Amino acid sequence: MKKRVTKAIFPVAGLGTRFLPATKSIPKEIMTLVDRPLIQYAIDEAREAGIKEFIFVTAKGKGALEDYFDAAPELEKALRKKNKTDLLQELKATDMDSGAIAYIRQREALGLGHAVWCARRLIGNEPFAVILPDDVISAEKSCLLQMVQQYEETRGNIVAAMEVSNEQVSSYGIIDPAEDMGQIVAVRDMAEKPAPAEAPSNLAVIGRYILEPSVLKRLSTLKRGSGDEIQLTDAIAAEAREEGNVFGYRFDGQRYDCGSKIGYLKATIAFGLARDDLKEELADFLDGAIARRRAAE
Ligand code: UTP
């Protein structure tokens, strides 16, 4: 029987240096878009895709993240007493069944590839998803669900892909396409953060992956690559070169890079404008701020 994707790894052990000093004490994944932390969007997306086991790769200083998914009986009692049923409903999103969530420690921030490898024993011999919670994707159908459906057709390793500008290629893993079939691209090779002149295309890999367990074996043997880190891109690129079983998937949806300040601000505005209770006042404020900026120029 073909194995289904039911496990997802959430690597959240990075240092989050782009958000210092905030990330000195707050994990990046707990920062909110309006009133929900980034991790909540990632969990909701995974649930929509049928994920049943949620594996967090964490590190020192990420306690707030673990607390977020704990039961809160006192808070619930207080809300019930005040008849705040809508807020109780909001809290439900943070419910996790006993045993559905696991925390694995990455002792040292040796890179995304190393973080994924840390979860190898919990994955075993199954295909699995990787979600980077600082990439927030708003889409009609969850990005991961789109990818799971693609996986059920093609199998292999599937990476979420999107076009970026020449100036941006050096911030991403970039696909060297063997064959472009539109929504899906067969991958010949990948380059991690190439200089614009050396980039094989403008098709960047962003933070959603469905991977075969063979990638974990490759990670075990990898040496440190770009940035002196163990790169997930290097393991997937080796699969592409040697097995020819890697596909880029052009997802439908809008992605926000919430690991960067500008991406986070854009997402905050977009998610605020999408909220019925906030959109009018926020839009008026933005109109006014833009008009004042234009008048001052
Ligand atoms: P980033 O490249 O965004 O790094 O990691 P970072 O440390 O989170 O943030 P900056 O660049 O210092 O601001 C991409 C993803 O990989 C995880 C991060 O938590 C993030 O989800 N990661 C990265 C790990 O879990 N471990 C690592 O050693 C590195």
Side-chain angles (χ1 to χ4, degrees):
M1 207 184 80
K2 283 182 178 162
K3 289 189 173 146
R4 299 180 72 89
V5 184
T6 59
K7 295 179 180 175
I9 301 177
F10 300 81
V12 290
L15 300 174
T17 53
R18 284 170 291 171
F19 274 98
L20 281 170
T23 43
K24 187 171 168 231
S25 69
I26 312 168
K28 177 168 65 172
E29 301 74 22
I30 285 292
M31 297 192 325
T32 56
L33 290 181
V34 189
D35 48 13
R36 314 181 111 211
L38 298 184
I39 194 67
Q40 184 70 59
Y41 293 95
I43 292 286
D44 290 349
E45 183 179 332
R47 277 191 176 132
E48 199 184 321
I51 298 298
K52 302 281 184 266
E53 288 180 53
F54 304 80
I55 302 163
F56 286 78
V57 182
T58 70
K60 190 164 165 277
K62 299 279 179 170
L65 196 62
E66 300 180 17
D67 296 345
Y68 179 74
F69 291 108
D70 276 343
E74 278 131 44
L75 180 58
E76 282 177 29
K77 199 170 148 199
L79 293 174
R80 218 169 286 122
K81 218 165 158 188
K82 291 184 179 157
N83 265 330
K84 302 267 188 198
T85 39
D86 45 342
L87 290 179
L88 276 165
Q89 199 53 38
E90 290 288 336
L91 269 190
K92 277 221 161 316
T94 69
D95 282 355
M96 281 284 182
D97 290 340
S98 291
I101 190 162
Y103 300 98
I104 289 277
R105 278 310 221 215
Q106 185 187 27
R107 279 176 60 123
E108 225 186 312
L110 294 179
L112 174 59
H114 182 261
V116 168
W117 175 80
C118 287
R120 66 200 177 282
R121 292 202 182 88
L122 290 181
I123 296 296
N125 196 29
E126 288 178 38
F128 60 99
V130 177
I131 296 190
L132 306 191
D134 45 9
D135 271 340
V136 175
I137 301 172
S138 96
E140 229 161 82
K141 185 197 279 184
S142 117
C143 176
L144 194 66
L145 176 57
Q146 296 173 40
M147 292 170 69
V148 164
Q149 289 174 343
Q150 184 62 53
Y151 175 79
E152 277 161 9
E153 258 180 55
T154 45
R155 302 274 139 179
N157 300 284
I158 304 196
V159 298
M162 63 181 263
E163 250 71 45
V164 298
S165 66
N166 286 342
E167 300 78 64
Q168 290 174 320
V169 288
S170 52
S171 304
Y172 293 90
I174 300 293
I175 289 177
D176 178 358
E179 191 187 350
D180 195 333
M181 295 164 270
Q183 188 134 46
I184 189 144
V185 177
V187 177
R188 186 199 332 267
D189 201 349
M190 279 158 72
E192 178 64 18
K193 302 193 169 79
E198 276 146 37
S201 76
N202 284 62
L203 201 52
V205 175
I206 60 114
R208 301 289 181 277
Y209 309 77
I210 294 179
L211 301 175
E212 296 287 358
S214 49
V215 171
L216 295 173
K217 288 206 190 81
R218 288 190 188 271
L219 283 170
S220 316
T221 57
L222 270 191
K223 301 232 161 40
R224 296 193 197 186
S226 159
D228 206 24
E229 293 186 336
I230 295 182
Q231 296 293 350
L232 185 59
T233 303
D234 290 347
I236 302 172
E239 285 276 291
R241 287 191 305 268
E242 290 167 32
E243 307 293 333
N245 64 353
V246 179
F247 301 96
Y249 179 80
R250 288 191 178 94
F251 57 95
D252 294 320
Q254 175 71 41
R255 172 257 187 178
Y256 298 95
D257 174 13
C258 292
S260 76
K261 291 180 192 106
I262 189 67
Y264 179 71
L265 287 172
K266 286 179 188 171
T268 300
I269 293 170
F271 280 73
L273 288 174
R275 283 272 294 254
D276 286 342
D277 55 336
L278 301 171
K279 62 183 176 196
E280 269 178 42
E281 199 174 334
L282 181 58
D284 284 349
F285 168 78
L286 290 172
D287 287 344
I290 291 163
R292 279 193 299 281
R293 183 170 165 260
R294 294 241 163 90
E297 271 171 6

